Amino acid sequence: MRIDVRGASDDPEGADAAAARAGSATDDDDDGAVVAVLTAAGAGTRLGAGGPKALVEIGGRSLLRRAAQGLADSGVVDHLVVTAPGEHVERFAAELAGLAGAGVGIRVVAGSSASRQASVALGLKAALEACPRAAVVLVHDAARALTPPETVRRVVAAVRAGHDAVVP
């Protein structure tokens, strides 16, 4: 497992520069790939956690780690992009270190403080940089950390069967 960390993606020049450094990524390796965007940039204000919601623990493991592990355990996700609060990108990468699922590439990028939609857009951009010809793109939220791996497998199977979009 490799974790790639990207800084403040809200800066368009910085994102373009990072993409240029990453290269054009036209390998055949991502044909048919499944890439997941895990949104985790929420501040946790309403939760009153005093920090990012995704780092709140349930049973000794953070929501972030539980959600990422569920995606990896599905066996169908090839690459995972996590959107983190800009000031916590390194901390989120550390939280994901050692995650089981050696075949899953992980990239942590800065999300947006403006809205969840803006964070999803930044995550999708990073996902398509990582896997330009991915066959399936999943969008998942770290707050739904207890989603069973079987649900992920069923969603991917439904997309591969021809459904344009699937809500479990």
Side-chain angles (χ1 to χ4, degrees), residues 90-114:
E90 295 285 340
R91 187 171 172 199
F92 275 48
E95 179 67 16
L96 295 171
L99 188 76
V104 178
I106 300 174
R107 179 182 287 184
V108 181
V109 300
S112 174
S113 59

Side-chain angles (χ1 to χ4, degrees), residues 74 138 140 146-157 166-168:
S74 73
L138 304 174
H140 187 47
L146 303 177
T147 301
E150 176 56 31
T151 300
V152 177
R153 287 191 290 273
R154 284 194 325 261
V155 167
V156 170
V166 178
V167 178

Side-chain angles (χ1 to χ4, degrees), residues 57-98:
E57 291 188 357
I58 295 177
R61 290 192 329 177
S62 70
L63 293 172
L64 172 65
R65 190 166 187 90
R66 286 181 178 278
Q69 190 66 64
L71 290 164
D73 286 350
S74 73
V76 296
V77 173
D78 300 299
H79 195 85
L80 175 61
V81 173
V82 177
T83 62
E87 65 277 13
H88 294 287
V89 169
E90 295 285 340
R91 187 171 172 199
F92 275 48
E95 179 67 16
L96 295 171

Side-chain angles (χ1 to χ4, degrees), residues 25-39:
T26 58
D27 293 344
D28 290 336
D29 292 353
D30 62 348
D31 281 349
V34 175
V35 61
V37 175
L38 181 58
T39 59

